[in-house]
Amino acid sequence: MLSPETPPPEPVVWALGPVLARADTPVLCERLATLLDAVDGVVVFDVSAVCRPDAATVDALARLQLTARRRGRRIVITGANPRLLLLVSLIGVDGLLPLD
């Protein structure tokens, strides 16, 4: 437990892209689980380098979010381009993904 004088841990920033394939998702989730076991604080996924987001991209992000939630932790997704934001909305997970 952090005392009031202890600053919160710095977030870990993990850059994703330029393409996320379906085959990448299990490995990303395993790596996230390992990372969450090793660090305190939030993991920030920077998706600004994702150049052609598609349904596989949204699926990967949703599964990363699920991996974190199963461990009682949270992630933040930052740098989403307009196309990714539109896909997230069209697929209907905009309320589930922690987009910053």
Side-chain angles (χ1 to χ4, degrees):
M1 171 79 42
L2 296 174
S3 71
E5 298 83 32
T6 305
E10 290 293 316
V12 174
V13 179
W14 185 350
L16 296 177
V19 176
L20 295 176
R22 287 203 191 280
D24 298 332
T25 301
V27 173
L28 289 171
C29 290
E30 282 182 37
R31 289 183 181 172
L32 176 61
T34 301
L35 179 62
L36 291 173
D37 289 342
V39 300
D40 289 329
V42 175
V43 176
V44 176
F45 284 94
D46 180 357
V47 295
S48 59
V50 175
C51 58
R52 291 182 311 255
D54 57 11
T57 306
V58 176
D59 180 61
L61 295 173
R63 290 179 185 275
L64 288 167
Q65 167 69 346
L66 181 60
T67 298
R69 289 184 71 178
R70 285 181 175 162
R71 291 185 131 53
R73 304 288 296 282
R74 67 184 202 94
I75 64 170
V76 173
I77 301 166
T78 188
N81 65 36
R83 181 173 176 182
L84 178 55
L85 293 173
L86 178 62
L87 280 170
V88 166
S89 178
L90 289 172
I91 292 172
V93 294
D94 47 329
L96 303 174
L97 290 180
L99 296 165
D100 183 28

